[in-house]
Amino acid sequence: MTARKSRICLSLTASTLEANLRLLDSRRSFVDMVELRADFLDSSELSSLKRFPRTAALPVILAVRRQRDGGHWGLGERERRQLLRVSLSGGYDYVDLEEDLEDPDLARKVKRAGGRVIRSLHDFSTVPDQLAERCRRLPHGPGEIPRMAVMPQSTKDLPILAEAYRQLEGEEKILIGMGEHGLFSRILAAKLGCFLTYCSASGAEAAAPGHLDPRTLVELYRFRMQDQETFLCAVIGKPIAHSRSPEFHNRGYQALGLNGVYIPVLVDQVPSFFRLAELLGMKGFSVTMPHKQSVMAHLSERDTTLEGIGACNTVVRRPRGGWFGTNTDVRGFLAPLEKQAPELLETGSRATVIGAGGGARSVVYALRSRGIRPLIVNRTAEKAKALAEFFGCDWGGIDAEGVARIGENADLIVQATSVGMEPEPEADPVPGYRFSGLEVVYDLVYQPLMTVFRRRAQDAGCRTVSGLDMLFAQGAAQFKYFTGVEYPREALDPDR
Ligand code: NAP
């Protein structure tokens, strides 16, 4: 079954109608309709509302959002309804009226003027139970489109939302999870059968928490080709907004003409995410910090190397149910070194790994598989000790003694902590270490591309390897697991 067409609706939040038109023109090729948020307008603009639909030349929703619904309307309720009434003759295609607004005459007038009522309810505190049932009860009469915007507070709330999409399959609705936790509902509106998805132009004030720019929906998340058959993959982590994986995988789908989409999901509760993945029929997902170890308890099958590595970064759904876990970080880590410094991958090379988390585990495993016993140093020395004991290596803390020992194990230095990553790009994991210029320095952090640590190494004359090369190598291996085909090299961003 093919989903009904879903629309991209740009919310217009400028203070004048003219500025809203400019905003619309800057995104016109990416949107199907607009929502004029009259509550953002200067009061001097309100008398001109009638003229807007004609000049917009796209279907328009008129919304005058009250403050309790997250809006800016500062005048009284009587004035608000009066404004809605007098503006109707302008030819608005849709008018947003609240679920608790008892004004049948206004709803009738909308219909008589040729428009449809969107009957809306906002909940900024939670995702209520029995969501589908509540959504169905919203319309006050035939032809009204129910619209519910709820606020998931954690991953725990997401299965409730996904369950509601299942129950409402084939029914006309707008059901939105707001904020970063609800992002999947905005990106997947077409796959989930929603009437529309709202978005805001970046640089303008976002009309609600979690709005994306329409260009991002179209170009990154391939909104226009999505339908119910679109397969879904994801990357999970916390934080997750920085991840380049969606760009990498979606470019690959695009280049091969695959009907798939790959999304980021902020996850703070791994078991709830597995439930969500089942409900959305996810094909597989990438795992990033801090979940590479905790996902392992939920696997029904695993790669033989996984136990040895102790960290899983790739999870694939099995055709008959259950989840298979593997790790592509190991080969992703080795591939750039094999190209750029193959002489180091020999027994006898002296190496240091800074960090003892999921990424570091894969790095140490990879080095041990080449006969190299790296020194492991970490802020929390006990974690370095545990990892070192697991792999038979030396260990230390990141103190004066640890820093001195790095110098004795410095043919290759691998930076595998999250230090220096956005949003704190100025941080340095070992500010006390002075590079001799002879080290090869590999920083797993790729956002920013040039970390402070790698810059210092480069300035001292070291050869350096970028975390982005590893990301792409491990991502290409994941791509094959998720899709069954090789990653198309032509999809790689030439500017990366
Ligand atoms: P993780 O499991 O959460 O481990 C985080 C590591 O960073 C731990 O060693 C932790 O030390 C250390 N750390 C965090 N904050 C610190 C601070 N303020 N000072 C000193 N050390 C600190 O994360 P992960 O999965 O290993 O990922 C680590 C980094 O590698 C991330 O930036 C991730 O994006 C990157 N990575 C990149 C790739 C790639 O393909 N390029 C692959 C894997 C990972 P404690 O033990 O003391 O907390």
Side-chain angles (χ1 to χ4, degrees):
M1 192 166 83
T2 331
R4 286 167 209 232
K5 179 174 153 38
S6 182
R7 301 135 182 99
I8 297 183
C9 177
L10 179 67
S11 294
L12 298 173
T13 56
S15 59
T16 66
L17 293 170
E18 206 184 311
N20 276 325
L21 283 174
R22 282 199 301 273
L23 213 52
L24 167 57
D25 283 336
S26 73
R27 298 295 191 281
R28 195 175 278 279
S29 60
F30 301 107
V31 305
D32 305 299
M33 58 193 295
V34 292
E35 177 196 47
L36 178 64
R37 285 286 301 270
D39 50 303
F40 278 82
L41 289 170
D42 291 342
S43 52
S44 56
E45 295 285 303
L46 298 178
S47 58
S48 310
L49 279 191
K50 269 190 242 171
R51 291 209 303 270
F52 190 76
R54 199 167 37 82
T55 45
L58 273 182
V60 186
I61 303 172
L62 175 60
V64 191
R65 194 83 68 229
R66 304 174 302 195
Q67 292 183 9
R68 76 176 103 139
D69 297 314
H72 288 210
W73 181 250
L75 303 174
E77 179 58 12
R78 216 155 49 104
E79 289 80 356
R80 194 176 77 97
R81 291 197 210 175
Q82 182 59 15
L83 176 66
L84 286 164
R85 275 194 167 78
V86 299
S87 307
L88 289 178
S89 60
Y92 283 92
D93 301 83
Y94 305 91
V95 178
D96 190 304
L97 300 180
E98 298 75 14
E99 185 244 3
D100 61 359
L101 183 75
E102 293 301 340
D103 191 339
D105 177 59
L106 179 55
R108 267 195 301 274
K109 279 204 159 72
V110 172
K111 284 173 207 163
R112 238 180 276 134
R116 284 185 78 183
V117 170
I118 295 177
R119 191 62 74 168
S120 65
L121 176 64
H122 292 85
D123 189 330
F124 284 94
S125 61
T126 186
V127 177
D129 286 333
Q130 301 184 332
L131 196 53
E133 213 23 65
R134 295 188 69 160
C135 196
R136 275 189 195 118
R137 284 204 306 264
L138 289 181
H140 289 195
E144 297 193 358
I145 304 168
R147 172 199 193 276
M148 215 163 161
V150 298
M151 182 65 94
Q153 300 289 347
S154 83
T155 318
K156 237 178 157 174
D157 294 329
L158 302 187
I160 306 174
L161 200 49
E163 186 61 57
Y165 287 116
R166 275 198 161 194
Q167 292 171 12
L168 294 168
E169 194 181 328
E171 297 178 36
E172 198 168 54
K173 78 247 170 214
I174 303 168
L175 179 56
I176 307 151
M178 295 184 283
E180 200 180 352
H181 283 292
L183 195 65
F184 81 93
S185 70
R186 297 194 186 276
I187 299 173
L188 302 178
K191 180 174 168 57
L192 298 169
C194 286
F195 183 79
L196 59 77
T197 190
Y198 293 94
C199 56
S200 293
S202 59
E205 187 170 348
H211 274 203
L212 293 170
D213 188 278
R215 180 191 285 267
T216 308
L217 281 171
V218 172
E219 292 188 344
L220 177 58
Y221 295 117
R222 317 181 67 220
F223 193 89
R224 298 250 188 257
M225 66 85 232
Q226 273 184 49
D227 58 27
Q228 234 172 340
E229 307 305 323
T230 303
F231 73 77
L232 176 63
C233 291
V235 55
I236 68 165
K238 186 183 177 204
I240 199 60
H242 69 283
S243 176
R244 300 276 307 265
S245 294
E247 184 190 326
F248 176 84
H249 286 266
N250 285 320
R251 273 174 176 275
Y253 301 162
Q254 178 76 28
L256 294 175
L258 300 178
N259 185 8
V261 63
Y262 182 105
I263 62 169
V265 183
L266 175 69
V267 169
D268 51 15
Q269 287 250 352
V270 168
S272 300
F273 174 76
F274 271 89
R275 177 89 188 108
L276 176 74
E278 291 286 351
L279 285 165
L280 294 179
M282 221 172 255
K283 215 170 172 181
F285 53 93
S286 314
V287 185
T288 186
M289 60 178 272
H291 302 310
K292 287 185 177 174
Q293 280 148 299
S294 52
V295 292
M296 289 174 64
H298 302 272
L299 303 174
S300 52
E301 255 181 274
R302 54 189 67 192
D303 191 296
T304 46
T305 61
L306 212 55
E307 226 52 70
I309 305 168
C312 168
N313 80 328
T314 308
V315 178
V316 190
R317 170 198 284 280
R318 280 303 191 211
R320 270 187 255 111
W323 298 95
F324 166 78
T326 184
N327 186 310
T328 63
D329 277 341
V330 172
R331 72 190 97 155
F333 168 73
L334 289 173
L337 275 181
E338 275 157 358
K339 245 199 222 153
Q340 298 171 45
E343 75 284 359
L344 283 179
L345 291 175
E346 282 173 12
T347 311
S349 285
R350 291 167 310 159
T352 298
V353 176
I354 306 166
R361 283 193 90 86
S362 303
V363 170
V364 175
Y365 180 93
L367 293 174
R368 291 294 289 114
S369 72
R370 296 303 179 97
I372 300 164
R373 274 178 202 278
L375 166 72
I376 301 168
V377 294
N378 192 46
R379 172 181 63 176
T380 311
E382 302 85 70
K383 284 197 199 161
K385 179 170 185 255
L387 189 61
E389 285 177 353
F390 190 82
F391 286 106
C393 301
D394 281 342
W395 59 277
I398 304 184
D399 46 19
E401 191 192 332
V403 170
R405 288 177 67 200
I406 296 176
E408 297 155 17
N409 296 275
D411 296 333
L412 171 67
I413 299 178
V414 183
Q415 196 307 102
T417 74
S418 50
V419 179
M421 184 173 106
E422 298 284 4
E424 290 178 59
E426 66 295 334
D428 189 323
V430 274
Y433 181 75
R434 297 282 159 259
F435 293 99
S436 69
L438 299 174
E439 305 90 335
V440 170
V441 175
Y442 194 151
D443 197 334
L444 263 55
V445 171
Y446 58 85
Q447 191 82 316
L449 191 55
M450 182 54 73
T451 59
V452 166
F453 185 68
R454 194 151 80 89
R455 164 75 60 211
R456 274 209 301 124
Q458 230 171 50
D459 290 349
C462 300
R463 271 188 294 162
T464 69
V465 182
S466 154
L468 201 59
D469 290 338
M470 171 173 173
L471 180 79
F472 284 178
Q474 66 80 16
Q478 280 182 336
F479 190 91
K480 179 102 194 259
Y481 275 111
F482 296 152
T483 64
V485 293
E486 296 294 337
Y487 190 81
R489 290 211 65 77
E490 69 274 17
L492 283 179
D493 179 359
D495 303 327
R496 74 188 172 83

